[in-house]
Amino acid sequence: MATGRLGVGETLGALNTALGPGEPVWFKETRARHLRARDFLAPRPALQARFEDGQVPEHVVRAVAGLQGPGVAPVLRCEPTPAGLALQLQRPAVFERVLGAVTAYAAPAAPAAPGPRVVLHCPALRGALGALRLSQLRAVLVADHLARALRAHGASVRLVPAVRDPHMRTFLQQLRVDWPAASEKAATGALRNLPLAELSPAPDGGGLPPGVLGTVCLKEVMRERGCAAGYDPNVDKCLVTEDLLSVLAELQAAVRHWPGDGPRGLAAAPDADGCMALHVVSCEEEFQQQKLDLLWWKLDEQAPRTQKHLVCGPVKAASALTAPEYYDLRHAQVCKAAALKRGRELSQDPTWTEVFSVLSAATIKFEMLSTAPQSQLLLALADGSISTKGTKSGTFVMYNCARLATLFEGYKHSTEQGLYPAFPPVSSLDFSLLQDEVSVVLGTAEPDRSPGVRSPRAPRDCAHGDDVQVPGSAQHGFQLIL
């Protein structure tokens, strides 16, 4: 069996190189109806820009069809189609490679070089838990997911702000969100010691409002930086307060002091070009965050030159709920679903408390992350939306993931007891038999009534409770459980 981890990125890189110099044109197909015939496609418009009349030379097609290399998936065929140049992989060989080394694919590939430094900033975590809106909760979950993804790809990530509200820390733990904590605000001495010329007095010689240290014209900052594009045209003056300086001080400390840089007082400030600030904000916080970015550039010469915004769209629900109320609702619904499915005794069993907590957090993450962050998210809050008989809700997906895990664990124990034969080694399987696309829809077909072998404790379909049996499985001596 061939060894080595296959990669989509490596395959795309080799495909684009095989077409010759120019911009990348290949993309990985993801739509089910297209995957029946192809795995990768070079669209015809892109080929027309690369080759005369869009006709790819025959020797180039042959080179693509014979593509090989580290991490490159084996190619079955490459042929011109009305949509462009279509490529299909040797799927049995790919299945064999992947299933023969599942562990290698379960863990992210080690980066070839140290990744970038990223300060990941989520302003929603500065407020009190009772005031956390659903749109802010969405930003928090997106930030947590983004931090995990960046670290998996080798980036060094600092999370800001450190959470000071103990109730917020407890809530994040319930959601399985790993975020740093702190007991007090960041010191603002370095920023307060800036020359007074940086802060303008009140216009017309009037006095400043209480708590305001001065004003800064942000339009001047945009002109100096040449970065007006993308900023709200209404961004003008900013009133500098102690709280605002505290926010900037925390961001400044995150940029200047990284784990592994040595003692805090002796660490050299990193090059501003070597760090990026990524602000994950709700749509309601976007305007204020733009002002904060510009003020950071104005008051701190070592502020990152690259600052990106990920603005999460609004979250709409039938009733106004805070984030804690939303969690309590989903937790109650998960418990109710378990009681309806397995009996009230199970839902009240203390040993299942942790399970219901995990399912509730997973349900909320599924709902919040299943829609593109920039798009509006519509939440269905009624009890009917969490039925385990549906196919769209987060509860359905998470409940069935738990049921499948239970079934697989049961199969493992039954194999150890001799009720089922051991699964054969992957190397002995004939993957060439996988020729047709097979779709298994749980709970939609009538239970099979033909003779077959059932285990002493017949498994139930994780969606609807119907026994699932594969026709003709008796001749193989085991039952396929899905």
Side-chain angles (χ1 to χ4, degrees):
M1 182 190 300
T3 59
R5 175 179 172 135
L6 301 178
V8 174
E10 291 85 345
T11 303
L12 285 172
L15 288 173
N16 286 308
T17 300
L19 288 184
E23 294 294 322
V25 298
W26 289 92
F27 72 90
K28 175 70 178 71
E29 191 61 77
T30 57
R31 296 185 178 180
R33 62 190 181 94
H34 293 155
L35 284 170
R36 295 187 180 97
R38 64 184 186 235
D39 294 294
F40 294 86
L41 179 71
R44 182 166 295 280
L47 295 176
Q48 289 174 340
R50 178 75 67 88
F51 302 101
E52 185 177 355
D53 298 329
Q55 297 297 319
V56 182
E58 184 62 28
H59 73 276
V60 174
V61 176
R62 289 196 302 270
V64 172
L67 207 59
Q68 294 181 354
V72 178
V75 178
L76 176 63
R77 66 173 65 91
C78 177
E79 56 190 7
T81 67
L85 197 59
L87 180 140
Q88 189 172 27
L89 300 177
Q90 297 179 24
R91 293 184 180 180
V94 173
F95 294 152
E96 184 178 10
R97 292 274 295 275
V98 173
L99 295 177
V102 173
T103 305
Y105 292 90
R117 290 181 168 186
V118 180
V119 173
L120 190 57
H121 177 219
C122 185
L125 291 172
R126 286 199 169 85
L129 175 61
L132 189 66
R133 301 185 299 271
L134 293 180
S135 57
Q136 293 176 308
L137 173 62
R138 187 185 192 186
V140 171
L141 295 178
V142 168
D144 175 64
H145 180 77
L146 191 55
R148 297 172 190 270
L150 288 170
R151 285 169 175 158
H153 287 80
S156 178
V157 181
R158 291 293 302 273
L159 300 177
V160 178
V163 177
R164 291 185 292 273
D165 183 356
H167 301 294
M168 181 72 79
R169 292 200 295 266
T170 301
F171 182 64
L172 295 180
Q173 290 170 0
Q174 288 179 320
L175 291 173
R176 274 62 183 174
V177 171
D178 186 13
W179 205 272
S183 58
E184 56 186 26
K185 291 184 178 181
T188 61
L191 291 172
R192 288 181 60 87
N193 292 333
L194 289 168
L196 293 179
E198 295 289 347
L199 302 179
S200 303
D204 303 326
L208 292 170
V212 176
L213 304 177
T215 63
V216 173
C217 181
L218 299 179
K219 287 191 179 295
E220 293 180 0
V221 179
M222 286 190 284
R223 285 194 295 268
E224 293 171 0
R225 291 276 179 171
C227 60
Y231 282 89
D232 193 301
N234 296 316
V235 171
D236 190 1
K237 292 188 179 296
C238 178
L239 299 179
V240 181
T241 63
E242 185 72 26
D243 287 342
L244 208 54
L245 289 182
S246 177
V247 172
L248 292 179
E250 190 168 12
L251 289 169
Q252 183 186 64
V255 170
R256 296 187 179 185
H257 306 288
W258 290 82
D261 279 343
R264 189 176 181 84
L266 302 177
D271 183 3
D273 288 332
C275 178
M276 179 182 73
L278 179 56
H279 307 281
V280 183
V281 298
S282 64
C283 52
E284 299 93 344
E285 299 166 322
E286 178 184 9
F287 183 75
Q288 183 63 26
Q289 185 58 50
Q290 290 185 6
K291 296 170 67 174
L292 184 68
D293 291 0
L294 296 169
L295 182 63
W296 192 7
W297 275 331
K298 178 68 174 178
L299 301 183
D300 185 5
E301 294 181 352
Q302 295 181 349
R305 293 185 175 89
T306 302
Q307 296 194 53
K308 303 286 187 180
H309 288 199
L310 176 54
V311 182
C312 298
V315 178
K316 302 294 183 181
S319 58
L321 293 178
T322 63
E325 291 171 340
Y326 172 53
Y327 176 87
D328 292 340
L329 174 66
R330 285 295 185 242
H331 186 270
Q333 290 172 336
V334 167
C335 293
K336 181 178 179 180
L340 292 173
K341 191 76 174 179
R342 300 298 171 194
R344 186 168 300 276
E345 296 78 9
L346 179 65
S347 65
Q348 296 175 348
D349 187 345
T351 60
W352 282 82
T353 301
E354 180 70 9
V355 175
F356 294 148
S357 178
V358 171
L359 283 176
S360 301
T363 296
I364 291 173
K365 288 183 178 182
F366 180 88
E367 291 176 330
M368 289 287 181
L369 300 177
S370 60
T371 301
Q374 297 89 340
S375 302
Q376 176 176 282
L377 175 62
L378 300 176
L379 286 181
L381 301 178
D383 282 350
S385 67
I386 57 94
S387 171
T388 59
K389 296 181 182 295
T391 59
K392 301 295 185 182
S393 73
T395 304
F396 171 84
V397 174
M398 297 306 143
Y399 185 86
N400 282 287
C401 283
R403 287 287 298 126
L404 286 171
T406 301
L407 291 173
F408 293 144
E409 188 67 20
Y411 171 77
K412 177 181 177 181
H413 291 323
S414 296
T415 302
E416 294 172 352
Q417 297 171 5
L419 296 177
Y420 298 135
F423 198 80
V426 174
S427 59
S428 68
L429 301 179
D430 186 1
F431 287 89
S432 65
L433 298 176
L434 299 176
Q435 298 295 334
D436 299 324
E437 181 178 357
V438 178
S439 298
V440 178
V441 181
L442 295 177
T444 58
E446 288 295 322
D448 180 73
R449 305 303 180 189
S450 61
V453 174
R454 293 186 181 272
S455 63
R457 295 176 58 192
R460 297 171 64 84
D461 171 19
C462 59
H464 294 277
D466 295 327
D467 292 334
V468 179
Q469 185 176 12
V470 178
S473 60
Q475 59 182 316
H476 300 293
F478 65 94
Q479 183 179 14
L480 179 64
I481 303 172
L482 294 176

